[in-house]
């Protein structure tokens, strides 16, 4: 049997491999010069001023929430259509989590639903402290609208741009934090660029950057200006808060720097593939991804919605049929509020109808830099077979 076509896959060049090997031969495998160089490469590209590289986007979300002061008694709001990490970061901090339903066209959190929920929460004195805006599939949320609401209701904004590095909002790269406090990227191999595991939080606020730097490495500082009293000697460090070991290694950062050089080319390739899917799928009973005119997606994912009223097969049958034909399709995502861990907090099916409807129809097709036209044709033929069966 031929190897299935995955839904996402890394692109590794000889230059990437050499950059990692070079670090292995160098003096530092961790805590050397390469991590700061990677942080500079990312912030220079996206237009923020500070970058804090960590071992995953999950860690980045955690320290971003802590830096923003999220804690017990606070609320974090996000979308139900995301990876669980976008919500779990609130629970790590002892805060409570709530969700906002999605927009039927972009599948991102709906600013109108957000506003309605804020009005209600304001009356009950339960306004959120932090909103995690997830740029699903790489398409940015309506950040200008969300930012206006944050000014009015006084909450902080984290952009979960795990899908979106290299994409743009209103012609500027995602990650410039013009409408947010912190933006988080993921470098997991299925995402747009990779460091194997890895993530980064970027910001324009030096105080937030300082906090996140401390939190990533045990809450320890060696900078005397941040100590409670002068150093005892050259060996001295102080732990001034409770942090973690969330550090990225030099090997990962070297891979990241090398990958960054191809970021724009990767996103361009993804757009070419998406356009080709759009055309090849246009006569089938499904909805192709709608792109807001303000957005240039990073296109981590290409999600179709099956028009189940126009096919004989169920969502599950179509999915299983595609898998049987060697297509590594996936579903992004199972609504977070329906996960057992969240259901025990009182969430239930029916809470977010748009998110649930989306979940009942969505299938992620293979989308990655090295997807060939022949593979893409195979995906389309397999889908045609399932939808017209
Ligand atoms: C992948 C992903 C994360 C977590 O990223 P890791 O680097 O694997 O921790 C968080 N949020 C979203 C939306 C993601 O897709």
């Amino acid at each position: 049997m031929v190897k299935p076509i995955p839904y996402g896959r890394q692109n590794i060049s000889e230059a990437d491999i050499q950059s990692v090997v070079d670090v292995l031969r160098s003096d530092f495998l961790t805590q050397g010069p390469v991590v700061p160089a990677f942080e500079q490469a990312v912030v220079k590209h996206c237009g923020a001023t500070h970058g804090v590289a960590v071992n995953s986007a999950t860690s980045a979300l955690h320290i971003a929430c802590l830096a923003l002061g999220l804690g017990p008694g606070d609320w974090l709001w996000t979308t139900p259509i995301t990876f669980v990490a976008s919500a779990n970061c609130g629970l790590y901090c002892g805060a409570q989590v709530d969700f906002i339903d999605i927009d039927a066209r972009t599948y991102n959190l709906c600013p109108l639903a957000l506003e309605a929920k804020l009005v209600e929460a304001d009356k009950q004195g339960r306004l959120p402290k932090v909103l995690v805006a997830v740029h699903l599939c790489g398409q940015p949320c309506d950040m200008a609208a969300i930012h206006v609401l944050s000014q009015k209701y006084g909450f902080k904004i984290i952009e979960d741009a795990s899908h979106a590095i290299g994409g743009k909002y209103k012609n500027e790269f995602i990650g410039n934090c013009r409408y947010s406090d912190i933006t988080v990227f993921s470098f997991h191999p299925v995402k747009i660029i990779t460091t194997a595991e890895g993530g980064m939080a970027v910001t324009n606020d030096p105080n937030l950057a300082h906090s996140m730097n401390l939190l990533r490495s045990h809450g320890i500082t060696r900078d005397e200006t941040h100590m409670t009293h002068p150093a005892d000697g050259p060996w001295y460090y102080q732990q001034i808060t409770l942090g973690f070991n969330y550090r990225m290694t030099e090997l990962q950062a070297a891979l990241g720097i090398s990958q960054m050089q191809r970021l724009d080319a990767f996103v361009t390739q993804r757009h070419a593939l998406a356009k080709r899917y759009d055309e090849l799928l246009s006569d089938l009973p499904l909805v192709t991804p709608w792109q807001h005119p303000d957005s240039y997606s990073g296109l981590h994912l290409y999600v179709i919605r099956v028009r189940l009223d126009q096919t004989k097969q169920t969502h599950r049958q179509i999915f299983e049929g595609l898998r049987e034909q060697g297509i590594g399709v996936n579903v992004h995502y199972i609504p977070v509020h329906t996960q057992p861990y969240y259901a025990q907090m009182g969430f239930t099916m029916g809470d977010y109808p748009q998110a649930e409807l989306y979940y009942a129809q969505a299938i992620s097709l293979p989308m990655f830099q090295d997807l060939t036209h022949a593979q893409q044709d195979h995906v389309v033929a397999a889908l045609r077979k399932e939808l017209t069966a």
Side-chain angles (χ1 to χ4, degrees):
M1 201 191 132
V2 286
K3 220 167 91 176
I5 305 169
Y7 84 84
R9 192 182 199 282
Q10 69 275 15
N11 169 293
I12 300 293
S13 68
E14 285 307 315
D16 290 344
I17 293 168
Q18 193 54 50
S19 69
V20 176
V21 170
D22 289 346
V23 169
L24 281 169
R25 296 190 203 284
S26 78
D27 292 332
F28 297 101
L29 301 186
T30 186
Q31 294 177 286
V34 186
V35 166
F38 179 41
E39 291 168 342
Q40 280 312 304
V42 172
V43 296
K44 193 163 159 262
H45 183 274
C46 71
T49 56
H50 297 75
V52 180
V54 286
N55 57 0
S56 70
T58 304
S59 301
L61 287 165
H62 184 193
I63 62 173
C65 287
L66 288 173
L68 291 171
L70 190 74
D74 294 328
W75 287 90
L76 175 144
W77 289 6
T78 190
T79 167
I81 298 297
T82 186
F83 185 55
V84 290
S86 317
N88 287 346
C89 55
L91 302 181
Y92 293 160
C93 301
Q96 285 174 277
V97 170
D98 206 350
F99 301 95
I100 306 117
D101 207 355
I102 62 168
D103 176 88
R105 285 204 294 184
T106 64
Y107 319 145
N108 282 325
L109 73 84
C110 171
L112 296 174
L114 173 62
E115 182 163 25
K117 197 176 175 86
L118 286 164
V119 169
E120 278 310 303
D122 196 14
K123 285 184 202 149
Q124 298 163 11
R126 293 189 3 169
L127 284 169
K129 182 165 219 164
V130 171
L131 177 82
V132 177
V134 181
H135 304 324
L136 192 76
C137 305
Q139 170 156 226
C141 293
D142 186 350
M143 292 309 299
I146 294 170
H147 185 253
V148 168
L149 292 170
S150 77
Q151 298 297 101
K152 185 166 176 196
Y153 292 96
F155 57 86
K156 305 286 184 187
I157 302 172
I158 298 171
E159 292 175 68
D160 182 345
S162 293
H163 299 182
I165 195 166
K168 292 179 183 173
Y169 175 66
K170 294 190 190 285
N171 287 317
E172 293 179 326
F173 279 112
I174 292 167
N176 68 1
C177 299
R178 188 180 296 286
Y179 301 98
S180 65
D181 297 280
I182 297 169
T183 300
V184 166
F185 298 121
S186 171
F187 310 123
H188 183 279
V190 296
K191 308 289 165 75
I192 297 166
I193 62 163
T194 190
T195 61
E197 293 279 1
M200 195 180 294
V202 302
T203 182
N204 295 324
D205 182 330
N207 295 320
L208 291 175
H210 173 66
S211 297
M212 293 191 289
N213 261 304
L214 278 176
L215 289 162
R216 129 177 100 176
S217 197
H218 308 282
I220 282 172
T221 183
R222 291 176 184 277
D223 180 349
E224 214 169 350
T225 59
H226 294 118
M227 292 184 188
T228 54
H229 59 76
D232 294 351
W235 65 86
Y236 194 66
Y237 56 80
Q238 268 190 352
Q239 185 189 343
I240 55 178
T241 187
L242 183 62
F244 310 89
N245 180 352
Y246 281 169
R247 291 188 303 262
M248 174 179 277
T249 67
E250 296 280 285
L251 290 88
Q252 292 168 304
L255 180 54
I257 291 172
S258 188
Q259 291 258 309
M260 274 303 286
Q261 294 173 21
R262 304 202 297 292
L263 171 59
D264 292 335
F266 283 171
V267 176
T268 303
Q269 280 168 278
R270 286 171 177 274
H271 274 266
L273 289 167
K275 188 160 174 281
R276 201 158 177 274
Y277 266 140
D278 289 346
E279 288 161 7
L280 294 171
L281 298 173
S282 62
D283 64 324
L284 290 178
L286 52 80
V287 181
T288 55
W290 182 77
Q291 301 293 321
H292 192 284
D294 275 350
S295 79
Y296 175 72
S297 177
L299 267 168
H300 163 51
L301 298 173
Y302 187 91
V303 174
I304 55 154
R305 287 178 73 162
V306 179
R307 291 188 190 275
L308 291 168
D309 54 338
Q310 294 174 30
T311 63
K312 286 201 211 77
Q313 305 253 74
T314 65
H315 182 239
R316 181 173 177 158
Q317 284 168 334
I318 295 162
F319 186 96
E320 285 176 343
L322 289 167
R323 281 275 178 98
E324 275 161 27
Q325 295 188 69
I327 319 293
V329 285
N330 224 309
V331 173
H332 297 95
Y333 289 92
I334 305 158
V336 179
H337 70 283
T338 67
Q339 294 288 355
Y341 194 77
Y342 282 85
Q344 74 184 4
M345 296 168 204
F347 297 107
T348 164
M349 209 63 178
D351 285 349
Y352 305 101
Q354 288 298 338
E356 291 160 19
L357 183 63
Y358 163 90
Y359 172 58
Q361 303 170 333
I363 297 176
S364 303
L365 301 185
M367 169 55 77
F368 53 97
Q369 286 77 287
D370 294 338
L371 185 69
T372 65
H373 285 188
Q375 285 176 316
Q376 215 181 5
D377 291 342
H378 177 49
V379 173
V380 173
L383 195 55
R384 185 175 302 278
K385 190 173 153 204
E386 293 306 323
L387 291 176
T388 53

